[in-house]
Amino acid sequence: MLTVKVWGEFACFTRPEHKVERVSYDVMTPSAARGILEAILWKPEFKWRVREIWVLNPIHHFSLVRNEVKTTASIRSAQNWQENDGGFYAEADRTQRFSLVLRDVAYLIQAEMKLAPHATDPVAKYQDMFRRRVAKGQAHAQPYLGTREFSACFAPPDGDERPIEVSDDLGRMLFDIQFTAEPNGPIRFRQHGPDGAAWVRGRAEPKFFSCSLEQGVLYVPPELYEGVS
């Protein structure tokens, strides 16, 4: 089992049922934990499987209002601006949005690596790579706590970490987005295999689970990974 400690000033693990205003789950989601692990070390030869998330700091919420733009950036819009000598004016597209985020968070993530069928090296090789990167503070990309504006710090655990003494039923929580290849699927996603990566058509579906906090620890049910390649 591999372990890393992460922390930050703010975090927002957005509930998908809130469309416009961002409201965070009370604790880090398994998909957010996987994102942090992949930011530190990602290889097509293995998949991360999160087992436990320890909540190390008391859960505190913090509300804020931010100025955002309503329009999503797209290549088509940029091409239209270039062809018609136009441009984007933020003042005309600006709106204020409310966010309910977490403050002063710290977590301990426990996870393991699941080798892909096409992997040729032992899992110990990638485990050692991960431990070295965590010890040196190295990452392929900046890890973040839910949303990209909330950067995460990370380090090896010192052994003195203790989860908070809180047990609670957190209800339905997003586990991850499951991608399934279909010839006529509505989206395109990048799939990795023994012959390299390729863009395929398919479908993306959110997967939820009943989440509970047991003495400050979120245990990810192993059966959620059944059928996941």
Side-chain angles (χ1 to χ4, degrees), residues 8-108:
E9 185 176 3
F10 297 103
C12 184
F13 309 110
T14 309
R15 292 179 175 269
E17 61 266 28
H18 294 270
K19 301 297 183 182
V20 178
E21 314 295 351
R22 295 189 181 96
V23 178
S24 177
Y25 285 107
D26 289 343
V27 301
M28 175 187 287
T29 62
S31 59
R34 174 184 55 78
I36 291 174
L37 297 172
E38 289 182 347
I40 299 172
L41 178 63
W42 178 89
K43 295 286 184 183
E45 288 80 13
F46 68 86
K47 298 284 189 181
W48 283 107
R49 295 194 169 184
V50 178
R51 297 306 185 191
E52 297 180 13
I53 300 174
W54 293 19
V55 182
L56 304 179
N57 287 354
I59 300 171
H60 295 305
H61 293 89
F62 179 76
S63 61
L64 53 87
V65 177
R66 292 178 291 184
N67 289 325
E68 300 182 3
V69 293
K70 295 178 285 186
T71 304
T72 302
S74 68
I75 296 177
R76 181 177 298 178
S77 297
Q79 291 173 341
N80 290 335
W81 299 336
Q82 185 177 19
E83 294 172 358
N84 302 317
D85 295 327
F88 176 72
Y89 301 96
E91 292 295 337
D93 196 43
R94 184 169 292 163
T95 184
Q96 285 192 333
R97 287 180 177 166
F98 166 84
S99 296
L100 184 63
V101 304
L102 302 174
R103 189 168 189 172
D104 296 328
V105 300
Y107 304 98
L108 191 142

Side-chain angles (χ1 to χ4, degrees), residues 10-12 14 22 35 39 66 141-152:
F10 297 103
C12 184
T14 309
R22 295 189 181 96
R66 292 178 291 184
Q142 175 61 49
Y144 52 89
L145 296 163
T147 54
R148 291 186 183 273
E149 61 264 43
F150 300 143
S151 298

Side-chain angles (χ1 to χ4, degrees), residues 70-193:
K70 295 178 285 186
T71 304
T72 302
S74 68
I75 296 177
R76 181 177 298 178
S77 297
Q79 291 173 341
N80 290 335
W81 299 336
Q82 185 177 19
E83 294 172 358
N84 302 317
D85 295 327
F88 176 72
Y89 301 96
E91 292 295 337
D93 196 43
R94 184 169 292 163
T95 184
Q96 285 192 333
R97 287 180 177 166
F98 166 84
S99 296
L100 184 63
V101 304
L102 302 174
R103 189 168 189 172
D104 296 328
V105 300
Y107 304 98
L108 191 142
I109 303 171
Q110 292 189 359
E112 61 183 9
M113 297 174 174
K114 175 67 175 180
L115 286 179
H118 63 270
T120 57
D121 294 318
V123 69
K125 169 186 174 180
Y126 304 109
Q127 291 173 341
D128 290 340
M129 290 174 62
F130 177 77
R131 294 189 183 100
R132 287 195 300 269
R133 295 185 70 85
V134 171
K136 295 179 181 179
Q138 296 176 335
H140 289 295
Q142 175 61 49
Y144 52 89
L145 296 163
T147 54
R148 291 186 183 273
E149 61 264 43
F150 300 143
S151 298
C153 301
F154 66 94
D158 56 23
D160 294 330
E161 292 83 5
R162 296 292 181 270
I164 60 176
E165 296 183 359
V166 174
S167 297
D168 194 10
D169 183 359
L170 302 180
R172 277 167 52 86
M173 174 180 280
L174 177 68
F175 167 64
D176 215 325
I177 303 296
Q178 188 167 354
F179 295 90
T180 305
E182 293 181 5
N184 300 316
I187 66 168
R188 293 173 69 242
F189 65 93
R190 199 166 175 84
Q191 189 175 59
H192 294 269

Side-chain angles (χ1 to χ4, degrees), residues 188-205:
R188 293 173 69 242
F189 65 93
R190 199 166 175 84
Q191 189 175 59
H192 294 269
D195 299 326
W199 287 97
V200 299
R201 298 208 68 86
R203 185 177 301 277
E205 295 182 355

